Amino acid sequence: MNDLSLREEAGFVGVVRRIEATLNTVLKGIAVTLMWISASLAFISVVLRYLFGSSYGIVEELCRFSIVYAVLLYFGPLITRNAHLAMTIVTDLMPAWFHRYFDLVMTVLLALLLAVLLRAAWGWEAGLYAMNLDTMSGELKAWIPSAALPVGIALALLYTVFRVIYRIAGAPLNANEVSE
């Protein structure tokens, strides 16, 4: 969904919407760059392996880790866009006003879950850092690829707060929703 498809809003919701749009642009650029890095490194790895007979474990790890970072970083924007997979048989039957409050309760529960997961991910990350572990290639500290999880969860939590704000204000999540 294009961020420009929503009408310009004034007030606090408009400020939040502009912050979200700016963050979306930055995250989209980072995610696309990480995917290009992964594809480029995979190509380089194939060339090195089949033309020069050498292979480096760090290159393969960086391919995987850049994709993991791209996916986890872009998880947050999907929350406010309502672009996740959902079973909507029951919610489609709800009146619009009730659906808004139902979604608000579900989003608050999601925020609580993400807060608990962020705390656990941070503990995991701190443990990896304290143990000074390396990845399988032995050339990268294990906490570096693992940091994608707490960073991605923190961004998801931020976008969940954006969604709570939109739901409380009655602002649409995407162009398909009607503002109340």
Side-chain angles (χ1 to χ4, degrees):
M1 188 198 80
N2 188 349
D3 294 324
L4 301 175
S5 60
L6 290 172
R7 64 177 172 75
E8 281 293 318
E9 296 177 270
F12 183 67
V13 172
V15 171
V16 171
R17 192 78 77 187
R18 285 189 292 280
I19 291 169
E20 179 196 356
T22 302
L23 191 55
N24 285 349
T25 302
V26 170
L27 290 176
K28 189 183 303 181
I30 292 171
V32 168
T33 302
L34 288 170
M35 296 303 280
W36 272 104
I37 287 171
S38 179
S40 300
L41 288 174
F43 177 76
I44 290 168
S45 182
V46 167
V47 169
L48 286 174
R49 181 177 297 135
Y50 295 108
L51 292 181
F52 299 105
S54 65
S55 179
Y56 297 99
I58 187 72
V59 175
E60 293 174 17
E61 283 183 350
L62 290 174
C63 286
R64 284 192 306 273
F65 300 151
S66 62
I67 290 174
V68 169
Y69 264 93
V71 168
L72 288 174
L73 288 177
Y74 213 68
F75 174 63
L78 300 178
I79 292 172
T80 55
R81 293 179 181 181
N82 208 26
H84 56 278
L85 294 176
M87 295 292 290
T88 62
I89 296 169
V90 174
T91 56
D92 286 345
L93 298 174
M94 294 178 184
W97 66 270
F98 185 75
H99 182 265
R100 176 179 151 211
Y101 291 110
F102 178 78
D103 188 63
L104 176 61
V105 169
M106 297 303 288
T107 305
V108 168
L109 289 174
L110 175 63
L112 294 173
L113 174 66
L114 288 170
V116 169
L117 288 174
L118 180 59
R119 185 177 184 281
W122 184 259
W124 171 266
E125 194 64 22
L128 288 176
Y129 184 79
M131 289 186 280
N132 201 27
L133 294 175
D134 292 331
T135 59
M136 294 299 286
S137 70
E139 299 178 38
L140 189 65
K141 293 297 177 192
W143 67 269
I144 295 171
S146 179
L149 187 60
V151 169
I153 292 173
L155 284 168
L157 184 57
L158 176 64
Y159 276 89
T160 302
V161 170
F162 290 163
R163 185 174 174 137
V164 168
I165 292 168
Y166 298 152
R167 282 304 185 200
I168 289 172
L173 296 179
N174 56 45
N176 297 327
E177 281 190 356
V178 178
S179 182
E180 295 179 18

